[in-house]
Amino acid sequence: MTALDLSSPVAVVGTGTMGQGIAQVALVAGHSVRLYDAAPGRAREAADAIGARLDRLVEKDRLGGADRDAARARLLPAQNLADLADCALVVEAVLERLDVKQELFRALEDVVGEDCLLATNTSSLSVTAIGGALRNPGRLVGLHFFNPAPLLPLVEVVSGFATDVSSATRAYEMARAWGKTPVACADTPGFIVNRIARPFYAEALAVHEAQGAEPATIDAVLRECGGFKMGAFELTDLIGQDVNESVTHSVWQAFFQDVRFTPSLAQRRLVESGRLGRKTGRGWYDYDDAADRPEPHTAEPAQPPAYVVAEGDLGPAAELLNLIREAGIPVREDDEDHGTRLVLPSGGQLALADGQTSVEFRDVVYFDLALDYRRATRIALSASQDTAQQTLAEAVGLFQALGKQVSVIGDVPGMIVARTVARIVDLAHDAVAKGVATEEDIDTAMRLGVNYPLGPFEWSRRLGRNWAYALLDDLHMRDPSGRYAPSLALYRHAYATDKREGSTS
């Protein structure tokens, strides 16, 4: 089964931001496009708006004038659904209500031909449930574009329980022919991106609610240490707190209130207060022109230690040993110990976040996971009230000597980046085990859909098979609510390696 022929007309029903974006994508790909909206005059307004965007593309030399004129000639507002009768594909982008979508598709079945492909752009509803109202649910598929559709390459092609394989294949090939990067996905709450991305927001909110750090510091650590393009608080302000919370709540409800997806009370209060982010002028941050943007916590300068003793290779943080040597700080290696930490001259220890807390040990400072320790510009440290001040000062001075800014946060198990990445990796393994998508498609979706620096399985391979499981298992011991309980899929992934290495522990 191949993509739609360019001679085949395409229809878009619903002419909001998303509908206009999808129509523009189809139009630029070469199709004739029919626009329909139940509100009188909206289709014509949308056509004019799309035409204006095509003009801007010409001004930016991204589209030729002749191509612009031809595209405009192919764009036709429709007066009623009957005008869509000869379309080979109809994509709906109407209100996110199941009854509204079902009613629309039932009406379309009475209008379009038997071979017309029907697609929903829903981001939160079940494709299976939408198709359940149709005489022929096999031709309904999810085509989840990301906003803005003309710019973002990812399209999740979602197969409902009754979707025919041929329909999903046609939709997949069509998205690729339109210049998009499609990924195949089963009909699961949140699909790929909105399911697996929940910990990015949830763990930042959890650290904040636990008084571990304030939003500006958490965002800075996620960006400058974790390699994410934006922090969780600034990103939800951009998305809209109401929109982000609504998706979280939808996924949580769809998974029968699974504790792993529990919404945040802090975010609920923010929404209730009307502080929805950039669109209202205030969310986690104040966007008034006169407002001062809060700065992340950054430690005062401290003296670096005279030397460090390396017990083990530091695992995912092994590059730190090279950086320490390059900074002129002697590294003494303890070949007798099989740990993975640094011993400081004061006798205190510095260890990579592992899901345990500093207060459990005599004198330990934890440091967070970094995407790339050489390129990271900020490192977070975690200490308890019992940690010796000299140990903390030496730890701060060590990372400052490596050219890093240092943020000291509360005694939070798993810190910020480490617990976030571990939970993303876990949800990704769980999704593959349950047939949601392939590893390759999940990595592609998370890199393109939410601009993660690495896909979950890329992270998993880099960090080691047992890393995420061990960290979450430690976290689960300290918070036995089930939120951090490693999935069976992640357990099997970690245990399989241990077994091959001869261990049954």
Side-chain angles (χ1 to χ4, degrees), residues 314-334:
L314 298 188
E319 179 65 8
L320 279 177
L321 296 179
N322 292 328
L323 297 179
I324 293 169
R325 293 186 181 98
E326 290 169 15
I329 299 173
V331 177
R332 304 174 184 175
E333 297 187 12
D334 185 348

Side-chain angles (χ1 to χ4, degrees), residues 6-272:
L6 288 180
S7 63
S8 302
V10 169
V12 177
V13 180
T15 58
T17 301
M18 222 40 233
Q20 290 183 33
I22 295 169
Q24 182 178 329
V25 171
L27 198 63
V28 172
H31 289 276
S32 294
V33 176
R34 315 276 171 79
L35 286 174
Y36 175 76
D37 198 293
R42 286 278 180 84
R44 168 52 61 190
E45 292 173 4
D48 292 342
I50 294 171
R53 283 198 290 273
L54 295 177
D55 289 341
R56 288 195 289 274
L57 290 177
V58 172
E59 293 169 2
K60 296 177 180 179
D61 292 326
R62 295 177 183 173
L63 186 70
D67 291 334
R68 182 265 319 275
D69 295 340
R72 276 185 161 176
R74 296 194 303 270
L75 181 60
L76 301 173
Q79 298 299 314
N80 49 61
L81 287 181
D83 294 340
L84 314 183
D86 63 338
C87 290
L89 165 70
V90 180
V91 183
E92 72 79 13
V94 301
L95 188 66
E96 280 287 276
R97 275 180 43 188
L98 180 61
D99 60 334
V100 172
K101 293 181 187 291
Q102 287 179 329
E103 182 180 355
L104 170 63
F105 281 116
R106 279 195 297 263
L108 284 169
E109 274 196 308
D110 294 332
V111 171
V112 300
E114 291 295 325
D115 60 346
C116 177
L117 184 64
L118 301 178
T120 172
N121 184 58
T122 184
S123 61
S124 60
L125 299 177
S126 163
V127 174
T128 301
I130 295 171
L134 304 184
R135 295 191 300 273
N136 177 16
R139 62 169 163 173
L140 178 74
V141 65
L143 274 180
H144 182 215
F145 289 78
F146 288 73
N147 191 34
L151 297 180
L152 295 186
L154 184 69
V155 176
E156 292 177 317
V157 181
V158 186
S159 293
F161 185 78
T163 302
D164 292 335
V165 172
S166 59
S167 298
T169 302
R170 285 175 67 196
Y172 186 96
E173 293 301 330
M174 181 211 66
R176 187 156 60 180
W178 288 3
K180 296 300 181 181
T181 302
V183 292
C185 175
D187 186 19
T188 184
F191 309 142
I192 297 174
V193 172
N194 280 330
R195 172 178 176 152
I196 295 174
R198 294 347 292 162
F200 179 73
Y201 313 109
E203 293 313 307
L205 286 160
V207 171
H208 172 59
E209 289 176 327
Q211 303 293 297
E214 73 284 354
T217 297
I218 296 170
D219 278 353
V221 172
L222 286 168
R223 289 193 315 268
E224 301 169 36
C225 181
F228 293 95
K229 296 299 182 183
M230 297 182 73
F233 294 96
E234 58 190 346
L235 181 55
T236 52
D237 267 359
L238 178 63
I239 295 169
Q241 296 301 331
D242 53 339
V243 174
N244 182 261
E245 192 212 24
S246 177
V247 173
T248 298
H249 196 271
S250 174
V251 172
W252 175 62
Q253 290 283 22
F255 275 114
F256 308 105
Q257 300 185 357
D258 186 329
V259 69
R260 296 176 302 167
F261 301 100
T262 301
S264 161
L265 181 59
Q267 189 175 41
R268 175 91 292 261
R269 293 291 179 258
L270 200 68
V271 172
E272 289 174 338

Side-chain angles (χ1 to χ4, degrees), residues 341 356-364 366 384 386 478:
R341 59 188 63 198
Q356 301 181 87
T357 56
S358 182
V359 75
E360 299 171 53
F361 304 97
R362 185 185 65 81
D363 200 11
V364 170
Y366 281 105
S384 76
D386 297 330
R478 287 150 185 83

Side-chain angles (χ1 to χ4, degrees), residues 341-358:
R341 59 188 63 198
L342 296 174
V343 180
L344 300 167
S346 63
Q349 298 179 335
L350 188 59
L352 176 62
D354 59 6
Q356 301 181 87
T357 56
S358 182

